[in-house]
Amino acid sequence: MKYGPTHLEIFLTRLAFFFCGRSVYKAFANCLPLNGGEQVLDFGSGMGTVAYYAAKRLPRGHLTCLDISERWLDACRRTLRGYKNISYLLCRSPELDKDSFDVVYCHFVLHDIPDDELERVIPALAGALRPGGVLAFREPLNDTDKISLIKCLAEQNRLTARDSRITDIPMMGNALECLYIKK
Ligand SMILES: C[S@@+](CC[C@H](N)C(=O)[O-])C[C@H]1O[C@@H](n2cnc3c(N)ncnc32)[C@H](O)[C@@H]1O
């Protein structure tokens, strides 16, 4: 049996994507520092809500959509059918190659990962970035302990905060968006 969301969850996410795609997911994709030729990782891509917009900004680059759930990745393939610059990875972050991405982004993923797993995930994401690469994330602000842990782990792993802001996301409430640069 495949691990992951039910058909109803996928359907509801598709509805949210249909009605809020531009205001929620496109807005985040447009904040990513991309010139068009980067190697990018969408960590916890889900059904490809952000990837749908990020991939359009990579005409000479490549986007890897990574998720632990085969069901979400199947849904992601459906969302992104027709795109040529995307690959799909069913795994957890510790399996990532070193120095292989210019940009790694996480959209509403890290807050749901248990603390002990985050202690492996953030170093793996930092290690997968090339020097000068960017880690971008947007996470809900309600769990301040989790946000503090994410920031602390980023700084312990050669990532320096470059930018951060709080945004009010339709239907999701306040979220923190951060950009970190790898030394
Ligand atoms: C709330 S969904 C967000 C999906 C997508 N980023 C979005 O904003 O629509 C969280 C996603 O992260 C994935 N995920 C959770 N833990 C993960 C891990 N350790 N490694 C990879 N993916 C993970 C889940 O399977 C799910 O698809």
Side-chain angles (χ1 to χ4, degrees), residues 94-158:
E95 296 166 36
L96 293 170
D97 292 336
K98 295 264 178 229
D99 296 349
S100 45
F101 294 102
D102 303 298
V103 175
V104 172
Y105 68 84
C106 312
H107 188 266
F108 281 81
V109 178
L110 300 175
H111 70 284
D112 246 353
I113 297 182
D115 291 359
D116 59 335
E117 195 180 337
L118 260 190
E119 287 172 9
R120 296 190 294 276
V121 164
I122 305 261
L125 296 183
L129 277 172
R130 299 189 176 118
V134 171
L135 171 70
F137 63 81
R138 181 196 256 176
E139 299 292 338
L141 254 185
N142 49 8
D143 187 346
T144 49
D145 287 345
K146 189 69 87 177
I147 293 283
S148 301
L149 178 62
I150 293 167
K151 287 179 166 181
C152 177
L153 288 168
E155 280 157 21
Q156 284 170 4
N157 284 279
R158 296 173 53 202

Side-chain angles (χ1 to χ4, degrees), residues 31 42 66 71 80-81 88 96 108 116 131 152 167 169:
C31 290
D42 182 334
L66 179 157
R71 279 193 199 283
L80 305 175
R81 64 188 177 279
Y88 302 89
L96 293 170
F108 281 81
D116 59 335
C152 177
T167 46
I169 314 287

